Amino acid sequence: IILSGANTDGLQGMKTIHENGGHIITQSAEDAAVQIMPEAVRLNIKSNKTLTAIKMAEYLNTLNYGKFRENS
């Protein structure tokens, strides 16, 4: 997950995650306080999702809800 940031330092980590089959989620430009980091990722890697921070939380809950309940 890439959130608001004033540098591109998260890009290399996201490239590594992407190259290894990871799921890339970036904060939407309109929601980010500083757009540099999420934009750098979006311009260089195909994100699986681009969402607001609130929508990210909702989305993550849908991915893990079943697994969480099974392990409770």
Side-chain angles (χ1 to χ4, degrees):
I1 295 175
I2 288 290
L3 298 169
S4 178
N7 206 330
T8 62
D9 55 338
L11 177 58
Q12 187 57 47
M14 288 293 104
K15 283 183 179 179
T16 300
I17 290 169
H18 178 72
E19 289 166 359
N20 288 282
H23 199 80
I24 306 298
I25 304 171
T26 55
Q27 187 175 18
S28 61
E30 67 272 4
D31 191 53
V34 180
Q35 301 169 4
I36 295 168
M37 193 171 321
E39 279 298 304
V41 171
R42 273 196 298 278
L43 292 173
N44 289 280
I45 304 170
K46 184 181 183 310
S47 292
N48 297 96
K49 295 277 183 188
T50 299
L51 303 166
T52 66
I54 296 295
K55 291 291 182 186
M56 281 183 193
E58 293 171 5
Y59 178 68
L60 291 173
N61 280 330
T62 67
L63 293 177
N64 290 309
Y65 184 72
K67 291 179 184 177
F68 177 76
R69 289 186 51 97
E70 290 170 11
N71 295 324
S72 297

